[in-house]
Amino acid sequence: MIEANFFLGWDAFDLAVELRLPGSGVTALFGPSGSGKTTLLRCIAGLEARSQGQLTVNGERWQDSASGLFVPPHKRPIGYVFQDANLFPHLTVAKNLAYGQKRVDARERRIAQDHAIELLGITHLLERMPNRLSGGERQRVGIARALLTSPRLLLMDEPLAALDYKRKMEILPYLERLHDELDIPILYVSHAPDEVVRLADHLVLMESGRAIASGETSETLARTDLPLALSEDAGVLIKGRVTGHDAAYGLLSVAFDHGQTLRLAHPPRAIGEPLRIRVQARDVSLSLERPTGSSVLNIIPARVMTVAETDNPAHRLVRLDVAGTALLARITRYSLEQLGLCRDMQVWAQIKSVALLG
Amino acid sequence: MPLTSADFAAIRLTLELATVTTLILLVIGTPIAWWLSRTQSWFKGPVGAIVALPLVLPPTVIGFYLLVAMGPNGFVGQFTESLGLGRLPFSFAGLVVGSVIYSLPFVVQPLQNAFDAIGPRPLEAAATLRASPLDCFFTVVLPLAKPGFITASILGFAHTVGEFGVVLMIGGNIPEKTRVVSVQIFDHVEAMEYAQAHWLAGGMVVFSFVVLLALYASRRRTTWS
């Protein structure tokens, strides 16, 4: 459990948050730039000496302004991954990695150097200087360097923001391995929805220095009362398991709560493997009767829950319930009125595309 | 041999003075430059201006006040006498004190620029990697500021070698004690020994040229690869 209450005021911006976050898994701090995500992360790291508040991480108190307690950053057992890696330019990759590791008591080292180097795929880079690395390589070294301090909390400040799509796709699998293989709670700052849905178990939504929502990722994404719902990117995250693969057509079946199954074109995966699936609201259309003769693969029964406005006055966002799992559909206001949609109506949701997040 | 033993004594004394002065300046200039680079205190402006004063003041003004302060009625003079050190004017120690003040901005300013250029980010990275502020200073700041230290040392040394007014005011002209090269040249010229003056003056020109050449060469190699 991480309890973070912070206040930090500047001329044009102030941060004021009170958060209870899970002490394990990946928590995403998500929001537009200038919303205070990075500032909050820096407060937790102890890099904002002016911050007021309390911070307790899994039972250890790191800051309590009321009693004057402020553990300086070098005494907090954290790992910090900076947006642009922030490697020491005068040290080789190997020496960058060793810098933090050798300052940690040998008995407290829980992550072996070889393991971190292998996990991030940087074995061939060890003798290079940082300015001879690509952006993606630099970022991987930065992550390994933070891990080698065996942190009890890993703070990542938009580690992928400075990278192009290709490099991003190159690093995301490494981050997923961190999540799966190491039992370190991670706070992950991002303004990219695709990273959040792929990595985060818990989601904190930041806006203008406030945390306006905090909750389980799939629940929070499906809420229609948050600014997340306004954008074209609105969508839900569904957790499911592989139930089969149709080799003849190359279709993977994934079942989620209460036996609903989605099919998608994808190479085979192990039966029973847990998967995350993203369904964007703009890819879901609704009809009152079960459509026949449709090319759409996934047509499932659903119940209308709420209707919300979006950033476009011609559009409405409909929240649906599919046997306990939330689904969002972005449809026109015209269609909404034509179909006469209202709460608890039974409809058929046609899902045009489904993205598998790994 | 064109140079006399008095000339050689002046050269040796000059190099000794410049070396001692540079070493002292690096020791006291580093914390001053670090403070100036990091502080947001109101005192930053006044302290920076005081450090820079020797850049604009005539050396005779600095020499005059140092002479007064270090004299028998000055507070520095009374302090050194109470410690049993005697008086500083017209001694090598007095020259060192004068040179340190005279060359201070030539060491502090390059160091401050180097510290400014490092910025807060490497320090933050070091802090998140468990390095205490002092640890970080020695393992991150000093290596990153190396070009600044080279520049500061070269400028501090060269500027001390080139001083004349301060030396003459507080050191006088005592052979093998306070008579440095610049004063020796002045003596030669006064005595109409132009040939002797040429050798020393020419040597200074060559020395200064080589120093500046080394400085520019060191600046070109500041990127890490």
Side-chain angles (χ1 to χ4, degrees), chain B:
Chain B
M1 189 65 199
L3 294 179
T4 65
S5 67
D7 292 334
F8 278 115
I11 290 171
R12 213 195 66 237
L13 187 71
T14 305
L15 295 178
E16 224 171 277
L17 176 66
T19 305
V20 172
T21 302
T22 306
L23 290 177
I24 292 175
L25 275 174
L26 287 177
V27 172
I28 64 168
T30 302
I32 294 175
W34 180 248
W35 183 83
L36 282 171
S37 168
R38 291 290 152 220
T39 188
Q40 290 172 12
S41 155
W42 180 87
F43 289 106
K44 178 176 176 161
V47 171
I50 289 171
V51 168
L53 265 183
L55 287 176
V56 291
L57 283 178
T60 44
V61 172
I62 299 170
F64 170 68
Y65 282 117
L66 281 173
L67 191 61
V68 170
M70 298 192 297
N73 298 318
F75 68 99
V76 178
Q78 288 178 347
F79 179 68
T80 54
E81 284 205 68
S82 74
L83 290 177
L85 295 172
R87 288 184 210 139
L88 291 175
F90 313 112
S91 72
F92 182 74
L95 276 195
V96 170
V97 172
S99 305
V100 163
I101 290 171
Y102 182 57
S103 297
L104 188 64
F106 290 85
V107 171
V108 170
Q109 290 190 345
L111 290 182
Q112 191 186 337
N113 291 341
F115 294 151
D116 284 347
I118 291 172
R121 296 176 41 76
L123 313 186
E124 290 180 347
T128 66
L129 294 167
R130 310 286 189 281
S132 68
L134 196 67
D135 182 357
C136 165
F137 186 81
F138 284 105
T139 56
V140 175
V141 175
L142 287 191
L144 287 180
K146 200 169 107 187
F149 277 94
I150 293 171
T151 305
S153 309
I154 291 175
L155 286 181
F157 190 91
H159 192 247
T160 306
V161 166
E163 73 177 272
F164 175 70
V166 176
V167 169
L168 204 61
M169 292 291 283
I170 59 179
N173 190 357
I174 306 166
E176 296 192 28
K177 224 171 136 197
T178 64
R179 187 189 285 169
V180 295
V181 172
S182 55
V183 179
Q184 180 77 351
I185 294 171
F186 183 74
D187 278 0
H188 283 315
V189 175
E190 282 224 302
M192 305 291 277
E193 296 160 356
Y194 276 35
Q196 298 275 324
H198 264 309
W199 277 103
L200 283 179
M204 290 286 268
V205 171
V206 171
F207 167 78
S208 305
F209 177 76
V210 169
V211 162
L212 291 177
L213 201 63
L215 187 66
Y216 293 135
S218 83
R219 275 186 187 162
R220 241 183 291 120
R221 289 186 297 111
T222 51
T223 50
W224 307 100
S225 55

Side-chain angles (χ1 to χ4, degrees), chain A residues 42 73-74 76-78 80 84 86 88-90 99-100 103 129 131-132 145 149, chain B residues 121-122 124-133 135-136 139-140 143-144 224-225:
Chain A
R42 290 173 56 83
H74 68 275
R76 298 187 184 195
I78 53 153
Y80 199 107
D84 57 356
N86 201 0
F88 298 124
H90 63 295
Y99 191 92
R103 285 170 172 75
M129 295 304 278
N131 67 354
R132 303 270 166 185
R145 184 176 72 168
T149 61
Chain B
R121 296 176 41 76
E124 290 180 347
T128 66
L129 294 167
R130 310 286 189 281
S132 68
D135 182 357
C136 165
T139 56
V140 175
L144 287 180
W224 307 100
S225 55

Side-chain angles (χ1 to χ4, degrees), chain A residues 27-168:
Chain A
T27 297
L29 304 178
F30 178 77
S33 37
S35 58
K37 315 179 289 287
T38 296
T39 308
L40 174 58
L41 205 68
R42 290 173 56 83
C43 285
I44 292 170
L47 294 173
E48 293 291 345
R50 283 177 52 246
S51 69
Q52 296 289 310
Q54 296 90 39
L55 175 64
T56 310
V57 177
N58 289 334
E60 278 177 61
R61 187 144 273 220
W62 292 354
Q63 186 169 345
D64 184 12
S65 304
S67 64
L69 173 75
F70 183 88
V71 177
H74 68 275
K75 291 190 175 152
R76 298 187 184 195
I78 53 153
Y80 199 107
V81 179
F82 293 85
Q83 196 170 354
D84 57 356
N86 201 0
L87 302 179
F88 298 124
H90 63 295
L91 298 178
T92 61
V93 168
K95 284 179 177 163
N96 263 283
L97 294 177
Y99 191 92
Q101 191 188 28
K102 69 184 182 193
R103 285 170 172 75
V104 173
D105 194 301
R107 283 164 300 173
E108 285 177 27
R109 290 180 201 159
R110 288 172 294 118
I111 297 171
Q113 189 167 345
D114 294 345
H115 181 53
I117 290 171
E118 184 269 328
L119 187 70
L120 288 144
I122 52 173
T123 315
H124 59 297
L125 305 174
L126 293 176
E127 294 315 313
R128 294 220 207 141
M129 295 304 278
N131 67 354
R132 303 270 166 185
L133 302 178
S134 72
E137 290 169 338
R138 225 172 277 162
Q139 208 51 269
R140 268 148 56 196
V141 173
I143 295 167
R145 184 176 72 168
L147 284 178
L148 285 174
T149 61
S150 299
R152 291 211 285 277
L153 175 62
L154 185 59
L155 306 170
M156 305 181 95
D157 183 8
E158 308 216 29
L160 306 181
L163 307 177
D164 58 30
Y165 182 79
K166 190 167 155 275
R167 296 266 171 261
K168 213 163 152 169

